[in-house]
Amino acid sequence: MTTSPIDIDHLAMKRVDLTCPVDPAELRKLQLGDMVYLTGTIFTGREGLYKRWLDDGIEPPVPLHEISNANFHCSPAAARREDGQYDVKAVTGTASFRFGKWFNRFFERSGVKVIIGKAGLSSEDYRRLFVPHGAVYLTTVGYGLGATYGHAIRHIPAVHWLEELGIAQAMWVLEVSSMGPFIVECDAQGNSLFELSNERINAGLKDVYGDLPQPVLRRFGEVIDRQQEVI
Amino acid sequence: MTSQNKTMHAQLTKKYADATIGPDWSIIESTAMTLMRNAAISIPVDFKDGIRDATKTERNPLSLFVLEQISENYTTAETDGRPMCGDTGLPRWYVKIGEHCPMGAGFVRLERTLRRATAEATRKIPLRPNRVHPLTRKDHDNNVGIFAPEIDYSFEPDVDWMEITTVHKGGLFGSDYRMLFPADGIDGIKRFFLDTFVEFGRRGMACQPAVVGLGIGGCKDTTMRIAKEAACLRTVGDRHPDPQVAELEEEIKSLGNRIGMGPMGFVGNSAVIDAHIEVAYAHTGGMPVAMHTFCFASRRATARINANGSVEFRSDPKWFTEHHRREGF
Ligand code: SF4
């Protein structure tokens, strides 16, 4: 494993505008902390899609590689209008680490290169699951920028598996214009910005805790190691 | 229906209809709809100011960028009239009823109205239909179901109004409970807070900057409930009237901002916008403690419906009245 030369105090935080489907060569240039804005077609999809396609073996109505190579982990605040069209007013990322077990097969079969979501995965998972497929991970900002992202949606060309999976889990195909910012959390080498941040925060925890004692009653499952992550 | 029953039924209907001089039900319905919309779209001013203040003190460029984006998102939500977050949380209701409020049609009608408004608002705003059956995952696509939305009540002496607050709390991450004992003391409470906040703040899972609500004492359900009320129903900057509790609120807030964590779990010093604590009398042997975080989509909206039918909207729930926190009878 390479030691990381990344200095989180001096991230370039460059604005990068990408068109979907995204050119893999562009992805290799991304640096942790860069702010990505996407234009073109992306699709939402999460455990409902992964399970139905990859575990239950049901093919999506349109092959994913024909739609886009950017997959947004989210469920929109959407509703059907009187005229039969859909309103998607706000979209927000949802926690991606829960979908780890499907990624390998998903990347292999979908050709997806960009995952957008919340909280990311561990660098170990990135190196195992993302790097071999040339995929990167972009995190939504703050996670709750629903209006900002919703504002960038121009058109909803299709919704797949709405009946089967419901509004939250359906595949919403979104045509977007400069949707962002999304922060580069995992680059082409599989580095994780969150992990680098954690390392720094962990270094200060001893001081923050001072001599606060452990609780009188310790219970099974309770985390005592302050450096541990829940994902 | 027998004819005798019919007469009685007509009399009762008339009696209740006459009593509805105060809040008329269509007013409650339209007020509830407006509250749902206000909560989903407009960030309460106290929280918005809290984020602005954090922007002034945050030094880390990445965390600062996130804070600025959060403020910008509030503006876009208001300008476009779209929900501030794609996860519109779990809408719920808090109702404070004045002792002399003319509740003509009664509580059953009130609850039906609030349930209906929840479903209507989900379709119209639109909100994300988040409520599903926990086992079958069945979703009516309207945020209504068994025990959903929750409706909590509080009563207020000597007044004739009714106040309705809706809270749309999001977040699967950031809440916890620990049974502490008197021997754990204040240090035990601080440690519980740190353990919980550090754990859920990593990678920004709690969508901080957040308001931290702590409940201390009570039975387990009371502890959890007052922690949530502390997080969701007080305003940034207000302090508990008990000086000892108020001091602990300050300490928890500054402790949280000394972790070295900012929004999204990046390095920074602006994770806690404020800390609110509520206490309840506990079992003599124990000191249970619970925590809730109210994420940066801190959505709440309140309306007072006066007996004459006039309605005033505001963002401060004023839930914790002296009467609500009373120690005596
Ligand atoms: S925790 Fe709050 S800000 Fe984050 S996604 Fe949920 S509702 Fe939105």
Side-chain angles (χ1 to χ4, degrees):
Chain A
M1 200 178 290
T2 49
T3 50
S4 165
I6 297 158
D7 175 3
I8 57 166
D9 290 325
H10 299 93
L11 297 167
M13 292 172 59
K14 283 191 310 294
R15 176 178 172 129
V16 182
D17 287 276
L18 297 177
T19 310
C20 304
V22 184
D23 177 357
E26 295 296 324
L27 297 178
R28 286 193 288 275
K29 290 189 230 158
L30 294 178
Q31 291 182 303
L32 294 192
D34 283 352
M35 307 297 170
V36 176
Y37 292 76
L38 298 174
T39 297
T41 306
I42 64 174
F43 66 90
T44 73
R46 47 189 295 179
E47 67 267 46
L49 160 69
Y50 299 153
K51 187 176 172 300
R52 194 170 159 83
W53 183 29
L54 302 168
D55 293 353
D56 304 345
I58 304 170
E59 288 298 320
V62 180
L64 297 190
H65 61 87
E66 287 178 18
I67 303 175
S68 176
N69 62 1
N71 172 201
F72 194 171
H73 288 160
C74 78
S75 336
R80 197 189 192 118
R81 292 202 308 248
E82 311 270 292
D83 64 3
Q85 293 293 305
Y86 288 91
D87 255 346
V88 174
K89 291 254 178 138
V91 282
T92 309
T94 198
S96 305
F97 63 87
R98 295 170 290 173
F99 316 140
K101 70 169 187 175
W102 288 292
F103 279 131
N104 209 4
R105 283 182 294 154
F106 178 67
F107 287 135
E108 205 170 275
R109 296 188 51 191
S110 66
V112 160
K113 300 283 178 218
V114 177
I115 295 280
I116 307 152
K118 169 173 174 173
L121 289 87
S122 66
S123 63
E124 197 189 316
D125 281 343
Y126 289 142
R127 296 200 169 101
R128 193 163 56 83
L129 305 168
F130 280 58
V131 174
H133 300 283
V136 300
Y137 187 96
L138 309 179
T139 167
T140 50
V141 173
Y143 305 135
L145 299 199
T148 302
Y149 298 135
H151 184 85
I153 299 173
R154 287 288 157 272
H155 176 57
I156 301 164
V159 197
H160 302 301
W161 284 347
L162 185 61
E163 284 282 294
E164 296 83 347
L165 300 176
I167 287 183
Q169 298 270 347
M171 283 174 65
W172 293 83
V173 181
L174 308 174
E175 220 173 271
V176 302
S177 164
S178 288
M179 187 189 251
F182 300 119
I183 306 176
V184 178
E185 134 71 5
C186 153
D187 59 14
Q189 287 74 47
N191 295 303
S192 157
L193 182 55
F194 286 131
E195 257 178 37
L196 295 173
S197 306
N198 277 337
E199 277 171 25
R200 173 74 66 75
I201 291 161
N202 285 345
L205 283 184
K206 201 163 176 289
D207 188 43
V208 179
Y209 270 79
D211 42 24
L212 293 178
Q214 283 187 6
V216 169
L217 176 74
R218 267 178 278 165
R219 294 165 55 236
F220 178 71
E222 206 157 72
V223 173
I224 295 298
D225 175 4
R226 299 162 195 163
Q227 313 225 336
Q228 189 176 314
E229 274 204 85
V230 284
I231 74 164
Chain B
M1 216 184 267
T2 63
S3 71
Q4 194 194 351
N5 273 353
K6 258 189 202 150
T7 329
M8 213 165 85
H9 183 76
Q11 275 170 356
L12 277 176
T13 311
K14 184 162 182 318
K15 182 171 164 226
Y16 283 126
D18 285 344
T20 318
I21 40 170
D24 142 333
W25 292 92
S26 69
I27 293 176
I28 293 192
E29 203 156 341
S30 64
T31 304
M33 277 297 290
T34 308
L35 287 174
M36 288 291 282
R37 189 175 290 276
N38 288 356
I41 294 171
S42 307
I43 190 77
V45 63
D46 57 286
F47 196 87
K48 192 188 203 168
D49 291 351
I51 294 281
R52 189 200 54 208
D53 292 347
T55 310
K56 288 185 195 146
T57 50
E58 179 60 66
R59 294 272 167 274
N60 181 279
L62 198 53
S63 289
L64 188 58
F65 176 85
V66 177
L67 289 173
E68 285 165 355
Q69 289 293 323
I70 289 172
S71 289
E72 226 170 274
N73 183 65
Y74 294 149
T75 311
T76 309
E78 294 228 23
T79 326
D80 291 9
R82 47 178 94 233
M84 64 183 86
C85 182
D87 182 344
T88 49
L90 297 181
R92 59 184 295 151
W93 300 94
Y94 293 91
V95 185
K96 199 183 278 297
I97 295 165
E99 187 178 5
H100 305 300
C101 173
M103 283 284 297
F107 286 92
V108 173
R109 182 83 177 269
L110 173 67
E111 293 206 329
R112 286 207 178 115
T113 306
L114 294 178
R115 287 171 76 86
R116 214 170 282 135
T118 307
E120 274 287 292
T122 301
R123 194 173 57 81
K124 283 199 178 140
I125 298 178
L127 303 178
R128 199 165 95 183
N130 270 340
R131 292 278 192 168
V132 300
H133 188 286
L135 300 174
T136 63
R137 313 310 288 178
K138 180 170 164 189
D139 189 339
H140 299 292
D141 276 348
N142 64 4
N143 281 315
V144 175
I146 302 171
F147 295 135
E150 294 82 355
I151 305 177
D152 288 290
Y153 298 95
S154 168
F155 303 96
E156 193 64 14
D158 305 327
V159 297
D160 61 2
W161 42 250
M162 174 195 309
E163 288 186 343
I164 305 180
T165 295
T166 187
V167 166
H168 301 182
K169 190 181 173 302
L172 302 175
F173 312 109
S175 306
D176 211 349
Y177 167 89
R178 186 177 284 169
M179 183 45 127
L180 295 178
F181 299 91
D184 284 303
I186 298 289
D187 278 354
I189 297 168
K190 289 183 182 165
R191 171 146 193 151
F192 165 72
F193 158 70
L194 277 180
D195 287 349
T196 312
F197 199 72
V198 169
E199 184 169 65
F200 289 116
R202 285 184 201 284
R203 295 174 186 257
M205 301 253 275
C207 283
Q208 72 268 21
V211 170
V212 172
L214 287 176
I216 306 172
C219 310
K220 183 170 187 175
D221 57 336
T222 317
T223 319
M224 293 300 291
R225 180 169 57 79
I226 60 174
K228 180 168 265 175
E229 291 183 6
C232 302
L233 297 173
R234 289 177 51 189
T235 56
V236 174
D238 90 335
R239 284 289 161 261
H240 196 282
D242 177 341
Q244 198 200 348
V245 177
E247 194 188 316
L248 189 55
E249 290 179 343
E250 290 288 348
E251 285 179 51
I252 294 288
K253 178 181 174 185
S254 73
L255 188 59
N257 287 331
R258 277 204 292 121
I259 294 171
M261 196 187 264
M264 297 190 71
F266 294 136
V267 174
N269 59 2
S270 49
V272 180
I273 292 295
D274 208 351
H276 294 136
I277 300 173
E278 292 298 327
V279 294
Y281 273 43
H283 186 285
T284 183
M287 187 176 65
V289 46
M291 175 169 141
H292 279 279
T293 50
F294 204 12
C295 63
F296 74 79
S298 264
R299 292 155 297 193
R300 56 172 143 77
T302 300
R304 174 180 293 182
I305 305 175
N306 294 303
N308 66 8
S310 62
V311 185
E312 300 152 51
F313 290 94
R314 58 173 201 258
S315 59
D316 179 356
K318 296 187 182 154
W319 180 250
F320 287 97
T321 59
E322 236 175 83
H323 179 78
H324 189 63
R325 281 195 188 110
R326 69 197 178 278
E327 224 174 331
F329 306 96

